[in-house]
Each structure stands twice: as structure tokens, then as C-alpha cells.
Amino acid sequence: GQNIDQPTEMTATEGAIVQINCTYQTSGFNGLFWYQQHAGEAPTFLSYNVLDGLEEKGRFSSFLSRSKGYSYLLLKELQMKDSASYLCAGYSGAGSYQLTFGKGTKLSVIP
Amino acid sequence: DVKVTQSSRYLVKRTGEKVFLECVQDMDHENMFWYRQDPGLGLRLIYFSYDVKMKEKGDIPEGYSVSREKKERFSLILESASTNQTSMYLCASSLQAGGPWNEQFFGPGTRLTVL
């Protein structure tokens, strides 16, 4: 299975840009997901990367480097409502149905 | 609109009781999953199912069983609840493995407390 690693907590200021990193082992790689989870709520899908490069979706972008086993989620123009946990997840192997989640990064946005 | 529902938001049970957690999805998805989420440990997969009557163990299946008699419904069973099964339980579904359209959609979660 995958081994997903991401920072436990981060703090950033409203209006700023923050980058949340995620590293994973490259064997059996088949795409990487980012989910957002507000406290007490279910995770919701943000992005999926399977090819190298940056994918932009409004204020959120996700980057992948398959050779380095590295991804990041970039949040621009931070808003207070972006305070949440951000979960990185990858398939456990080629053709696998099983996602392995990182422990999540709790982002606190301060005024 | 995509919908995954779970039978209870909050549940309190006693040690030794048999507990059923129900999950229903209305998206005609093949795959369904049960996770538990604990502080500091993240989301961990208990069981999943890729078809009716099919099931596969996840990372932490001990103490749990599952049932999938119909495509839309996936049940998690705690045969004899113990205090270390106090947790948030999340159900998810996805269309099939692989590809960006196969994100997992999560239900609202059931917070189970075992006394």
C-alpha cells in the first residue's frame, strides 16, 4: 500500500497564499486526490492529479511530480472559510480500489 | 445531486452490544467503503465492496464485518462492540477504480460512542 505523508498543522493569514505538501511512495502509483474536510463534516473532493504538472480550479491548484513522489495543494486569496483539514490520498496500487489517506493537514486561517 | 446517507449521526451503545451502521447511496455506484476516523490517525479503511455480495478487507477489519445485499446499501456490523471502537465512521462510494471521475463521495458520518 501507499505511505502518505503531510504536515500535521499549518497557519496562514487571510488573503495570503498557502502551500500544503504531500509525499507518497511511487510504487503502484495511480493518481493522487486532495479532499477538504471541515470540522465535524464529511470530506469533499477537491482535485485529482494523475499526470505531472499543475491543475488550477479557481483559488485552488494542485501540483504533481510523479518522479519525486510529491504533490502540493495551493490555496490563494485565503478566506476564513478555508480553515479545514486537507487530506491527501492515493490509490494503494495499480488497479486498486483502495485509497490510502494521509493523516491530514489542519489549516487555520487567521485574520 | 450526489447523495450518500448514513442511518445515524450519533449513536451510543454499550460494550458487547451488536451494532449496525447503515449506508445508502443513490448514484448507482459499484464501489462502497467504510472508514473510521480518529484524531491523529486519519481515515483508515475497514472494509470495501466492489460489487453486490463482494467484500474485501481494508487495513483494520478486525472486530468488524460487512454486508452488501443490494447495490445501493452497505452495512457495517460490530459483532460485539468494545470501547476502542468509539470513533467517527464514514461511508463512501465511487463509480469504479481509476480515473478522475472516480472520486469517493462521503456520507455525513456516524459518531459512535461505546460505553
Side-chain angles (χ1 to χ4, degrees):
Chain A
Q2 282 288 342
N3 191 25
I4 308 274
D5 202 23
Q6 53 183 131
T8 306
E9 291 186 51
M10 297 182 73
T11 301
T13 306
E14 194 176 12
I17 299 173
V18 71
Q19 178 175 312
I20 303 174
N21 297 325
C22 171
T23 57
Y24 63 92
Q25 63 186 59
T26 55
S27 62
F29 175 76
N30 194 25
L32 200 96
F33 290 86
W34 283 96
Y35 282 82
Q36 181 191 58
Q37 186 177 25
H38 285 101
E41 297 182 13
T44 54
F45 170 79
L46 286 177
S47 68
Y48 174 74
N49 293 67
V50 66
L51 299 175
D52 289 349
L54 188 70
E55 299 234 357
E56 298 188 62
K57 268 190 195 180
R59 293 190 299 114
F60 291 13
S61 304
S62 55
F63 171 84
L64 179 69
S65 168
R66 289 175 295 171
S67 61
K68 294 180 180 173
Y70 168 68
S71 173
Y72 67 73
L73 182 69
L74 193 71
L75 291 75
K76 300 177 193 171
E77 300 167 19
L78 278 173
Q79 301 175 10
M80 300 299 288
K81 67 178 182 180
D82 297 330
S83 292
S85 288
Y86 292 86
L87 313 179
C88 178
Y91 281 112
S92 296
S96 171
Y97 298 97
Q98 183 173 341
L99 274 182
T100 298
F101 283 82
K103 294 188 170 80
T105 299
K106 185 178 178 183
L107 174 66
S108 299
V109 180
I110 57 175
Chain B
D1 209 14
V2 159
K3 219 45 184 267
V4 180
T5 56
Q6 295 183 228
S7 48
S8 307
R9 287 304 304 270
Y10 299 93
L11 209 53
V12 180
K13 294 291 181 181
R14 298 216 172 266
T15 303
E17 278 193 78
K18 190 168 185 176
V19 181
F20 292 87
L21 302 183
E22 304 284 338
C23 175
V24 177
Q25 50 94 5
D26 65 358
M27 298 163 283
D28 202 33
H29 282 173
E30 275 77 29
N31 303 329
M32 296 187 76
F33 307 83
W34 274 107
Y35 295 90
R36 63 177 283 177
Q37 188 172 31
D38 302 287
L41 296 177
L43 273 168
R44 293 179 292 166
L45 183 65
I46 304 170
Y47 267 98
F48 66 102
S49 167
Y50 53 89
D51 202 352
V52 176
K53 297 195 186 293
M54 306 301 287
K55 59 185 179 185
E56 293 280 344
K57 292 179 180 178
D59 297 319
I60 51 164
E62 297 77 20
Y64 303 95
S65 62
V66 289
S67 171
R68 193 159 180 212
E69 296 296 317
K70 293 184 177 181
K71 190 176 186 179
E72 67 272 16
R73 188 178 297 267
F74 192 35
S75 303
L76 180 70
I77 303 149
L78 288 66
E79 294 289 342
S80 177
S82 62
T83 54
N84 64 12
Q85 292 178 309
T86 291
S87 186
M88 171 68 88
Y89 289 87
L90 288 158
C91 175
S93 72
S94 70
L95 188 58
Q96 60 185 0
W101 56 90
N102 292 319
E103 73 214 58
Q104 292 187 14
F105 295 88
F106 285 84
T110 296
R111 185 164 292 283
L112 173 67
T113 302
V114 183
L115 302 176

